[in-house]
Amino acid sequence: MALPEGAMPLVVGTGLVLGALTIVLSPLLEASDANGDHEKGIASAKPRPEETANSAVNALREIEFDRETGKLSDSDYADLKQRYTREALAELRASDGTTATADIAAADESDLAVLDPVEAAIARARADVRSCGVCGPRPEPDATYCSSCGRYLPETCGACGTTVDLVGSRFCSGCGTQLAAA
């Protein structure tokens, strides 16, 4: 049986189209069969190993973005940041093998300063920040008065933690310890 004239290019073209279609759709069909998603016909999104290793770091980036775009309140951001920071430190240290993950997961923010020299430096810097009751934290750590509104910035006693509100106080009203000379 002979093919009619011009049928051979049609048969070859159809074969090429079917072959190309099979090559293009085979990854989708194989992934859906492996995951049991026959009715969906799409591959489920599996996280890559490098994404799971830094999931807490990625979560920190996401909450930072959500806060900047106004999708996340400051109180929620603070709670989530503390939790994800702890998890990210645990993940990073686990990948380095420097500290046991259980120790870091159980640590609170003050313990993290002991475990990590960078966290300790941040804790020291935060302790030195003076804060105005009206304007908030001030950029000058040694300021006696607010650079914005001019109000007196209360000191904190290094020995007992009592706030000293009186201008020019030389001694703590709580424990009597001499305050740093201004």
Side-chain angles (χ1 to χ4, degrees), residues 35-57:
N35 294 327
D37 295 334
H38 299 290
E39 58 276 352
K40 292 182 183 177
I42 58 172
S44 65
K46 287 185 183 177
R48 291 184 227 132
E50 63 270 9
E51 289 175 355
T52 57
N54 294 324
S55 61
V57 174

Side-chain angles (χ1 to χ4, degrees), residues 62-137:
E62 285 293 321
I63 63 169
E64 188 70 34
F65 177 76
D66 288 346
R67 179 178 178 228
E68 292 298 320
T69 56
K71 295 179 184 177
L72 194 61
S73 70
D74 288 338
S75 62
D76 289 340
Y77 170 76
D79 293 339
L80 290 171
K81 183 178 179 187
Q82 183 178 15
R83 187 176 102 203
Y84 288 135
T85 300
R86 215 175 296 132
E87 291 176 15
L89 282 171
E91 288 176 2
L92 293 173
R93 287 192 177 127
S95 68
D96 289 344
T98 56
T99 306
T101 306
D103 293 341
I104 296 171
D108 62 4
E109 194 169 319
S110 62
D111 294 336
L112 291 176
V114 174
L115 295 173
D116 188 8
V118 174
E119 291 294 330
I122 292 171
R124 284 191 306 273
R126 285 183 180 158
D128 291 341
V129 172
R130 305 284 301 268
S131 183
C132 174
V134 176
C135 304

Side-chain angles (χ1 to χ4, degrees), residues 141-179:
D142 59 344
T144 305
Y145 297 94
C146 177
S147 60
S148 182
C149 68
R151 294 187 181 190
Y152 175 72
L153 298 175
E155 288 188 54
T156 320
C157 175
C160 68
T162 303
T163 302
V164 181
D165 292 328
L166 296 173
V167 179
S169 294
R170 295 187 181 188
F171 297 94
C172 173
S173 59
C175 67
T177 304
Q178 184 173 4
L179 300 173

